[in-house]
Amino acid sequence: MKRLLALLLCAVMLFSVLGAEVWAAGDTLTVYAKSGGRRSVAVGDTFTYSYALKLTGIYDLDRVRLDVVFDEECLEFVSVEYPSFRTGDAAETVKDGVLHMEKSAITNGSALSQSISDIITVTFRARRAGTTYIRTLPQRIEVETNKESDIYLIENYRPNAARDAFYSTY
């Protein structure tokens, strides 16, 4: 009888520790970013995803065009903000799990030089439990060294292929 009670007590303790995690996992969505970041979100809750950029010199940032790719079955797009830029026009379209964003930033490059700045912050709502991914694909970034200089275009940026790039992403 003592063995049965001890076994029952062990089963209850094991279930209380592991069972809660298994049940909780049924209500959460795990979101992975290409950078290696991971976040667990309860279904129905909102969370933000940010894309940051650091200029490696003193350049004026004129225009940014990028896509944020996400799974529409798992994530619902809520809103987008540009925390580092108060001026300039912005245009966004959301279609088939892609948020296409164009922002004419026109900012003083010295404010962004050597510091990490959030270019875009997107808010999503978790639709269902499981695992999903978010990727940011920069298409075009325009920078210039000063107002009279030529505009440098950086298209189809790949972090591992552009060692001398004007910027890096996080």
Side-chain angles (χ1 to χ4, degrees):
M1 185 69 169
K2 288 183 182 180
R3 287 184 181 170
L4 180 61
L5 286 175
L7 182 62
L8 185 60
L9 180 61
C10 285
V12 167
M13 289 173 53
L14 187 62
F15 179 75
S16 67
V17 172
L18 296 177
E21 289 182 19
V22 170
W23 281 344
D27 291 350
T28 60
L29 174 67
T30 303
V31 182
Y32 290 92
K34 187 177 179 187
S35 64
R38 178 180 70 136
R39 183 179 297 171
S40 293
V41 183
V43 173
D45 285 354
T46 59
F47 70 97
T48 59
Y49 168 79
S50 296
Y51 176 77
L53 175 137
K54 178 174 85 170
L55 294 176
T56 58
I58 298 178
Y59 302 104
D60 291 334
L61 183 61
D62 284 352
R63 184 173 307 276
V64 177
R65 183 185 304 157
L66 57 86
D67 291 335
V68 177
V69 181
F70 62 97
D71 182 359
E72 282 186 313
E73 291 183 18
C74 295
L75 298 172
E76 174 186 355
F77 170 76
V78 176
S79 65
V80 62
E81 295 177 7
Y82 306 93
S84 298
F85 309 107
R86 303 210 189 324
T87 61
D89 295 330
E92 306 93 18
T93 56
V94 181
K95 183 179 178 186
D96 298 330
V98 177
L99 165 65
H100 177 73
M101 182 275 298
E102 294 186 32
K103 172 73 173 165
S104 59
I106 308 176
T107 186
N108 182 358
S110 61
L112 289 177
S113 179
Q114 304 301 325
S115 65
I116 299 170
S117 301
D118 287 339
I119 299 299
I120 181 174
T121 300
V122 186
T123 303
F124 293 103
R125 180 173 289 112
R127 285 186 166 179
R128 65 179 180 121
T131 302
T132 191
Y133 295 86
I134 296 177
R135 290 190 67 189
T136 303
L137 305 172
Q139 294 178 349
R140 179 176 175 141
I141 294 179
E142 298 177 7
V143 296
E144 60 181 339
T145 55
N146 57 47
K147 293 199 179 277
E148 289 78 32
S149 73
D150 293 334
I151 294 176
Y152 297 97
L153 302 180
I154 306 173
E155 298 188 37
N156 299 321
Y157 173 73
R158 301 288 181 267
N160 57 358
R163 291 195 180 144
D164 298 327
F166 295 112
Y167 69 97
S168 56
T169 60
Y170 295 87

